[in-house]
Amino acid sequence: QKEVEQDPGPLSVPEGAIVSLNCTYSNSAFQYFMWYRQYSRKGPELLMYTYSSGNKEDGRFTAQVDKSSKYISLFIRDSQPSDSATYLCAIATNAGKSTFGDGTTLTVKP
Amino acid sequence: DAGVTQSPTHLIKTRGQQVTLRCSPKSGHDTVSWYQQALGQGPQFIFQYYEEEERQRGNFPDRFSGHQFPNYSSELNVNALLLGDSALYLCASSSGDSGLPNYGYTFGSGTRLTVV
């Protein structure tokens, strides 16, 4: 079993839609929960991260962590064509080694 | 301010050969991590270097080795290349022997290695 499983997608939504991206993880020792965005032929770019549990909001993006169910989510409000990319969840312990999901490819159509 | 730079951008090698990939960390960063990203998959952690020593290692064979130089730049070496080594190799830099996002974890654009 993989340490982190990500909803595979792909997802295709109209511009302005609310997007929900989700991952589950297996090890309760994980304390850091990250979301990266990766455009084609580029490296991952950190969007936001959460330490421990709870919600974090940054503009149109909201990250949620539910440690009781080992479930993490990223919500994108008012999605834009420029949001079209692959989104990767990642988790880490305090030791710092990140484990990534396999990514969900999102297409936002104008 | 230059970010993480990797070279070369693309590389084609023959099965059985050896390859060296290079990474210069972001200014102010002293820790370098290497990842392998196969097509359609997430990055897989190979190892992390700090103070010229390998500090953590993922589940990769000894054919994968690395080095960090006094100026914090790093090399990834892969010996006896297999077809399955074809992937995007990513370098990430951060500060203070940490791979955590609150220490400025930043990825480069990667080196695309094709083994034929």
Side-chain angles (χ1 to χ4, degrees):
Chain A
Q1 181 189 4
K2 285 187 173 183
E3 287 189 298
V4 56
E5 300 272 4
Q6 185 166 359
D7 288 352
L11 276 179
S12 181
V13 301
E15 184 175 354
I18 296 174
V19 176
S20 172
L21 303 166
N22 306 292
C23 292
T24 58
Y25 64 96
S26 57
N27 187 342
S28 58
F30 291 118
Q31 294 285 353
Y32 287 85
F33 306 92
M34 292 81 76
W35 285 96
Y36 287 85
R37 178 173 60 196
Q38 186 173 24
Y39 292 113
S40 181
R41 304 182 186 281
K42 295 290 186 181
E45 168 198 12
L46 180 67
L47 274 177
M48 52 199 309
Y49 74 93
T50 309
Y51 177 74
S52 192
S53 61
N55 296 355
K56 189 171 186 178
E57 188 173 321
D58 184 2
R60 297 184 295 110
F61 297 86
T62 300
Q64 287 186 352
V65 176
D66 182 347
K67 295 192 78 176
S68 62
S69 57
K70 298 188 180 67
Y71 195 83
I72 63 174
S73 301
L74 178 70
F75 297 95
I76 306 174
R77 293 184 300 280
D78 187 25
S79 56
Q80 303 295 309
S82 58
D83 295 329
S84 298
T86 296
Y87 289 81
L88 297 155
C89 63
I91 52 179
T93 64
N94 288 328
K97 179 172 74 73
S98 292
T99 301
F100 283 79
D102 284 338
T104 302
T105 298
L106 170 67
T107 302
V108 181
K109 296 184 176 181
Chain B
D1 178 25
V4 179
T5 56
Q6 293 187 242
S7 63
T9 308
H10 297 87
L11 202 53
I12 299 175
K13 288 287 190 178
T14 303
R15 192 171 39 180
Q17 284 188 316
Q18 179 263 344
V19 68
T20 298
L21 310 181
R22 295 175 176 83
C23 172
S24 292
K26 184 177 178 179
S27 177
H29 285 179
D30 56 12
T31 303
V32 173
S33 302
W34 286 93
Y35 288 81
Q36 179 195 67
Q37 186 176 23
L39 196 62
Q41 296 184 17
Q44 301 266 326
F45 176 79
I46 303 174
F47 42 53
Q48 179 176 307
Y49 275 85
Y50 174 72
E51 292 187 337
E52 303 179 47
E53 290 186 356
E54 183 182 294
R55 308 288 277 191
Q56 296 189 71
R57 188 178 183 95
N59 189 25
F60 278 81
D62 292 343
R63 297 187 298 110
F64 290 78
S65 64
H67 188 77
Q68 186 179 35
F69 299 94
N71 67 352
Y72 310 123
S73 66
S74 177
E75 289 182 348
L76 165 66
N77 301 292
V78 187
N79 293 324
L81 284 167
L82 304 173
L83 296 179
D85 295 331
S86 296
L88 179 68
Y89 287 85
L90 293 161
C91 169
S93 73
S94 55
S95 59
D97 191 21
S98 174
L100 295 174
N102 46 334
Y103 289 88
Y105 212 58
T106 305
F107 280 89
S109 292
T111 294
R112 173 73 60 187
L113 172 65
T114 302
V115 181
V116 298

